[in-house]
Amino acid sequence: MMIVPVILSGGSGTRLWPLSTPERPKQFLPLTTNRTMFAETLARVADRDRFAAPVVVCGESHVAHVSADLALLGISDATVIVEPAARNTAPAIALAALAVAQDACLLVMPSDHAIARPDAFLDAVTAGYPLVAAGHLATFGIEPASPETGYGYIAAGAPMGDGGVRAVRRFVEKPAREAAQAMIDSGGHYWNAGIFLMRADSYLGSLKTHAPQIENACRKAMQAATTAAGALHPDAAIFAACPSDSIDYAVMENAEDVIVVPVDPGWSDVGSWAALHAIAPKDEAGNVVRGAVTLVDCTNCFVRNETGEMLSLLGLSDMAVIAAEAGRVILPLARTQEVKRFAS
Amino acid sequence: MMIVPVILSGGSGTRLWPLSTPERPKQFLPLTTNRTMFAETLARVADRDRFAAPVVVCGESHVAHVSADLALLGISDATVIVEPAARNTAPAIALAALAVAQDACLLVMPSDHAIARPDAFLDAVTAGYPLVAAGHLATFGIEPASPETGYGYIAAGAPMGDGGVRAVRRFVEKPAREAAQAMIDSGGHYWNAGIFLMRADSYLGSLKTHAPQIENACRKAMQAATTAAGALHPDAAIFAACPSDSIDYAVMENAEDVIVVPVDPGWSDVGSWAALHAIAPKDEAGNVVRGAVTLVDCTNCFVRNETGEMLSLLGLSDMAVIAAEAGRVILPLARTQEVKRFAS
């Protein structure tokens, strides 16, 4: 088994404002470690006994960040595909699928998610591989920890072979809280983490069936692609005409042969400062602190200071304080999803 | 009646950190208006039909601030006395008393207090004047609004003449809360605001009786004083030998003939950010905001940003956020007296 990692670098950079910005979105920030989320994603699939050289799909403005992380990890044989425009995940994955051998198996991953237990994740990849090699499209289902309303859910159907793999009965996008809770209570429902395992030809075949315009535009854009500074540039004019859609809407919700591999790898999409606080190492009082900060009598706070100025906090509980070049923000941890109001 | 204002500029600059610093303590900050507290104190007694040219007693490092405010108010005939060392209020007032005609009446005022109703204050000065002219030492007693434990209290005795003036029965320094509450409940007790009205000769005579070393050191230091750059410099070596003591301990608590003039002039010693929040104009949600600040859903907050950087706050209640060159601090309004922990 040889798998090609496909790393998607999208994201607009407002949820972790003021650290994340359009110029440096979440995946290019060191959040859970001293390496960027993008570098951590690369490192997770860097074992060349199991994985081939990675394919990265990113926007023009992020090529420098991508190159820096590839260099940091000593990866010189990656294929970097520069999207001429943002067209969501279905076209981005199609570009990658068109750049590799058609019988290659793609492991498609967002570059801005945290995975605390990479071994569990890799075991799930192994579990899904035989059915994928036989033509199935696999998605990874995360054991849901709470009735989140911002995620897509996967309803699992009949068991398929070993390793807990199951058929997908249906996808449910961003349910109401009651519906989310009902799915959790009934069991057999998973969060859709946007991680996929599938053969290039399986994906492109399904895309041609369910979203032929996307498949056609991507194929032609790749046929007319040019190479510059070591990166592949699909034809901009052709790609601009490509419809924008997610792999979930364009393919997964319509395709037959979709399977789900349940996994509990300590996954987080780090979708807010509170989410980062939840997964980060804490001091005895539950604080997560980074940068020049003096804390007195603070509990359960997230404090990150990227400026050189000392920040002095006293008597705070359940607060997030983030200071960076782009802004300084203070708000309750419970409301950190609202920072995007300040991002401009 | 002609009264010489004596304005004392002491203070170490830790209670309103990070705005107040040793280089620019509270009296040289614009807190309640766009002028400094020192300038507001000068302005309060600037009416030349009632007051003579002021005497300012300050440290060497604050002469520039004093000069700037005197210039701002167009006062060119002030006497500026530079204390060679900090020796508390009894010596500072003695220096001033030795610089004026001995039958002059001194109105001694700290330079870092806020007075919302200056007319009430000036009426109290008028009420106290006849007994002071006859030799009494007058202190002004502020109607206590709460059982503060950080203030001195004045227990009033028998009425003395008109205008509510009373003899002083005793002084009580920084009482326990129960004792403070008992004084408020029993009536006839006032906060000692450190504002005094007395003839120069009365004060010096009483000082000679109760603290002869202070009187002697100050007299000799003034006899050997030099003038430089428009300011009077008492002899440093002589003044260095002067004991350090407050007017309250050295004179008021021992002297006969001390009277209290009750007054309710909307007084505040602005002893914390919470105290400034209490007296400052607020928006509809109870916030006091100054500087580059964006507030969303904040109530009863004090926010002051002296930096050029935008500060974004969301969902905060009863908090103080102060950003200045010397530091950035965030803490509950109820604990703002603790900012001094960060001042270094």
Side-chain angles (χ1 to χ4, degrees):
Chain A
M1 123 185 183
M2 182 59 77
I3 296 173
V4 178
V6 174
I7 301 178
L8 305 181
S9 168
S12 63
T14 59
R15 294 197 296 173
L16 296 189
W17 187 88
L19 240 68
S20 66
T21 59
E23 296 72 39
R24 187 184 285 275
K26 194 175 65 172
Q27 62 267 32
F28 299 116
L29 296 172
L31 292 179
T32 56
T33 68
N34 286 322
R35 298 194 296 202
T36 69
M37 307 284 283
F38 183 84
E40 291 296 335
T41 305
L42 276 175
R44 211 173 289 139
V45 290
D47 178 359
R48 285 303 170 89
D49 291 338
R50 303 186 61 175
F51 296 100
V55 176
V56 176
V57 187
C58 68
E60 179 66 51
S61 61
H62 299 151
V63 171
H65 293 308
V66 166
S67 300
D69 276 339
L70 287 169
L72 179 76
L73 291 168
I75 299 171
S76 57
D77 55 358
T79 300
V80 177
I81 303 177
V82 180
E83 289 176 293
R87 288 292 181 269
N88 210 331
T89 49
I93 297 167
L95 298 178
L98 289 159
V100 300
Q102 289 308 287
D103 63 349
C105 191
L106 309 178
L107 176 59
V108 178
M109 294 168 287
S111 56
D112 60 349
H113 292 178
I115 287 182
R117 295 183 292 277
D119 285 351
F121 171 65
L122 296 178
D123 287 349
V125 171
T126 302
Y129 183 79
L131 283 165
V132 167
H136 285 275
L137 306 178
T139 177
F140 293 84
I142 308 293
E143 194 65 49
S146 56
E148 294 293 324
T149 57
Y151 295 155
Y153 285 69
I154 302 163
M160 303 276 289
D162 300 330
V165 181
R166 298 169 69 173
V168 168
R169 194 153 51 79
R170 63 182 180 114
F171 288 89
V172 181
E173 264 306 297
K174 300 186 178 177
R177 185 155 292 267
E178 301 69 36
Q181 188 61 56
M183 286 189 277
I184 291 176
D185 293 344
S186 70
H189 288 82
Y190 303 95
W191 287 339
N192 180 358
I195 305 171
F196 305 99
L197 186 68
M198 51 207 183
R199 284 171 56 129
D201 51 9
S202 304
Y203 175 67
L204 290 169
S206 199
L207 188 66
K208 187 167 189 172
T209 303
H210 300 293
Q213 286 181 294
I214 294 177
E215 196 271 348
N216 187 52
C218 290
R219 184 173 300 279
K220 289 186 173 159
M222 283 297 275
Q223 282 166 352
T226 57
T227 299
L232 208 54
H233 292 260
D235 184 85
I238 301 171
F239 193 75
C242 179
S244 179
D245 206 355
S246 71
I247 179 176
D248 299 291
Y249 281 126
V251 176
M252 291 294 168
E253 297 192 9
N254 303 305
E256 310 290 325
D257 298 336
V258 181
I259 59 175
V260 57
V261 187
V263 60
D264 188 12
W267 172 89
S268 169
D269 72 342
V270 197
S272 67
W273 291 115
L276 181 55
H277 178 266
I279 64 172
K282 298 169 190 63
D283 68 17
E284 323 79 62
N287 301 300
V288 175
V289 181
R290 187 153 163 169
V293 179
T294 304
L295 284 193
V296 175
D297 287 351
C298 290
T299 55
N300 203 43
C301 287
F302 181 92
V303 187
R304 181 141 178 176
N305 182 7
E306 299 279 312
T307 74
E309 311 130 12
M310 177 59 72
L311 212 51
S312 302
L313 311 183
L314 184 147
L316 304 188
S317 293
D318 307 303
M319 302 284 294
V321 181
I322 302 104
E325 203 186 333
R328 278 91 173 141
V329 66
I330 310 167
L331 73 178
L333 263 184
R335 297 184 68 178
T336 52
Q337 74 281 11
E338 297 181 53
V339 289
K340 59 170 87 88
R341 299 171 73 143
F342 299 116
S344 56
Chain B
M1 126 184 181
M2 182 58 79
I3 295 172
V4 179
V6 174
I7 301 178
L8 305 180
S9 168
S12 63
T14 59
R15 295 198 295 173
L16 296 189
W17 187 88
L19 240 67
S20 67
T21 60
E23 296 71 38
R24 187 184 285 276
K26 194 175 65 171
Q27 62 268 31
F28 299 116
L29 296 172
L31 293 178
T32 55
T33 67
N34 285 323
R35 297 193 298 200
T36 71
M37 307 283 283
F38 184 83
E40 291 295 335
T41 305
L42 277 174
R44 210 173 288 138
V45 290
D47 178 359
R48 285 303 171 89
D49 291 338
R50 303 186 60 174
F51 296 101
V55 177
V56 175
V57 187
C58 68
E60 180 67 49
S61 61
H62 300 151
V63 171
H65 293 309
V66 167
S67 300
D69 276 339
L70 288 169
L72 179 76
L73 292 168
I75 299 171
S76 57
D77 55 358
T79 300
V80 177
I81 303 177
V82 180
E83 290 177 292
R87 287 291 180 271
N88 210 329
T89 49
I93 298 166
L95 298 178
L98 288 157
V100 300
Q102 290 307 287
D103 62 349
C105 192
L106 309 177
L107 176 59
V108 177
M109 294 167 287
S111 55
D112 60 349
H113 293 177
I115 288 182
R117 295 182 291 278
D119 285 352
F121 171 65
L122 296 177
D123 288 348
V125 171
T126 302
Y129 183 78
L131 283 163
V132 167
H136 286 275
L137 306 177
T139 178
F140 293 84
I142 309 292
E143 193 65 49
S146 55
E148 295 293 325
T149 58
Y151 294 156
Y153 286 69
I154 302 163
M160 304 276 288
D162 301 331
V165 181
R166 297 169 70 173
V168 168
R169 194 152 51 78
R170 64 182 179 114
F171 289 88
V172 182
E173 264 307 298
K174 300 186 179 177
R177 186 157 292 268
E178 300 70 34
Q181 188 62 55
M183 286 190 277
I184 292 176
D185 293 344
S186 70
H189 288 81
Y190 303 95
W191 287 340
N192 179 358
I195 305 171
F196 305 99
L197 187 67
M198 53 207 181
R199 285 171 56 128
D201 52 8
S202 304
Y203 175 67
L204 291 170
S206 199
L207 188 66
K208 188 167 189 172
T209 302
H210 302 293
Q213 287 181 291
I214 293 177
E215 195 272 347
N216 187 53
C218 291
R219 184 173 300 279
K220 290 185 173 158
M222 283 298 274
Q223 282 165 352
T226 56
T227 300
L232 207 53
H233 293 260
D235 184 85
I238 301 171
F239 193 76
C242 179
S244 178
D245 207 356
S246 72
I247 180 176
D248 300 291
Y249 281 126
V251 176
M252 291 294 169
E253 297 192 8
N254 302 306
E256 312 289 324
D257 299 337
V258 181
I259 58 175
V260 57
V261 187
V263 61
D264 188 12
W267 172 88
S268 169
D269 73 343
V270 196
S272 67
W273 290 115
L276 182 55
H277 178 266
I279 64 173
K282 298 169 190 64
D283 68 17
E284 324 78 64
N287 302 300
V288 175
V289 181
R290 187 155 161 169
V293 178
T294 304
L295 285 193
V296 175
D297 286 351
C298 291
T299 55
N300 202 43
C301 287
F302 181 91
V303 188
R304 181 144 176 173
N305 183 7
E306 299 278 311
T307 73
E309 310 131 11
M310 176 60 72
L311 212 52
S312 301
L313 311 182
L314 183 147
L316 304 188
S317 293
D318 307 303
M319 301 285 293
V321 181
I322 302 103
E325 203 187 332
R328 278 90 172 142
V329 65
I330 310 168
L331 73 179
L333 263 184
R335 297 185 68 177
T336 53
Q337 75 280 10
E338 297 181 54
V339 289
K340 61 169 86 87
R341 299 171 72 142
F342 300 116
S344 56

